[in-house]
């Protein structure tokens, strides 16, 4: 089942929700209703090949961790970008605490790290909580 990620607007907690159930989703920490602005998918070591390398669309991958404050700052920006991209770009977040193979393959040493893939190849990379403008430049928007 496809998972989407969002951050609770009330308490800031990251939440993972089944895509089919997002209309009725509530925060696991504070029980507030969750809002979704653009679908950001949850990726993993197991799904990376299918979700990223075999994707026909460009894929922006965010390597992050729930305890990382700059990662949390970047999350709303990524949701905005996913919504504005309207399906032209897939946005995926990979939790580096739960997945180590793919981050290791790509030499992820600091988080957040954003990598843009096109046709299964890494074409750009940026480290840190960068402004939306920088991410849009990366995407060629």
């Amino acid at each position: 089942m496809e998972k989407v990620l969002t951050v609770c607007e009330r308490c800031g907690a990251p939440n993972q929700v089944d895509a089919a159930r997002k209309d009725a989703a509530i925060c696991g920490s504070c029980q507030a209703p969750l809002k979704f602005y653009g679908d950001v998918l949850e990726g993993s070591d197991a799904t990376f090949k299918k979700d990223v390398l075999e994707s026909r669309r460009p894929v922006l991958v965010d390597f992050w961790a729930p305890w990382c404050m700059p990662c949390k700052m970047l999350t709303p920006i990524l949701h905005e970008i996913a919504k504005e991209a309207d399906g032209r770009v897939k946005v995926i977040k990979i939790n580096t605490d739960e997945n180590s193979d793919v981050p290791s393959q790509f030499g992820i040493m600091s988080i957040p790290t954003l990598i843009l893939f096109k046709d299964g190849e890494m074409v750009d990379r940026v480290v840190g909580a960068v402004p939306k403008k920088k991410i849009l430049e990366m995407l060629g928007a």
Side-chain angles (χ1 to χ4, degrees):
M1 187 168 287
E2 191 170 83
K3 303 280 187 183
V4 292
L5 297 173
T6 191
V7 173
C8 178
E9 288 184 341
R10 185 203 268 171
C11 72
N15 286 265
Q16 170 187 321
V17 179
D18 291 335
R21 297 182 181 169
K22 70 182 187 180
D23 293 337
I26 60 170
C27 177
S29 293
C30 73
Q31 308 306 307
L34 294 172
K35 296 179 183 175
F36 295 83
Y37 300 101
D39 284 350
V40 175
L41 305 174
E42 178 185 19
S44 69
D45 289 339
T47 64
F48 185 79
K49 181 179 178 190
K50 178 181 72 78
D51 290 343
V52 179
L53 301 180
E54 296 175 355
S55 177
R56 294 181 182 189
R57 291 183 284 162
V59 183
L60 181 63
V61 180
D62 173 26
F63 293 92
W64 73 289
W67 50 264
C68 168
M69 197 53 68
C71 298
K72 288 181 182 181
M73 292 168 41
L74 202 54
T75 297
I77 294 169
L78 295 175
H79 282 278
E80 286 176 20
I81 289 170
K83 181 179 181 181
E84 293 166 7
D86 196 28
R88 292 184 309 274
V89 175
K90 190 186 312 185
V91 180
I92 294 180
K93 293 175 73 72
I94 296 180
N95 183 335
T96 58
D97 284 349
E98 296 174 356
N99 301 278
S100 59
D101 292 345
V102 171
S104 178
Q105 275 181 318
F106 290 95
I108 304 301
M109 303 297 283
S110 298
I111 54 173
T113 294
L114 299 173
I115 299 180
L116 178 63
F117 292 85
K118 289 183 182 174
D119 299 318
E121 299 292 324
M122 181 176 72
V123 295
D124 205 352
R125 173 188 203 123
V126 66
V127 178
V130 297
K132 182 178 179 181
K133 180 180 177 183
K134 175 68 178 165
I135 301 168
L136 291 175
E137 288 171 4
M138 194 176 163
L139 297 173

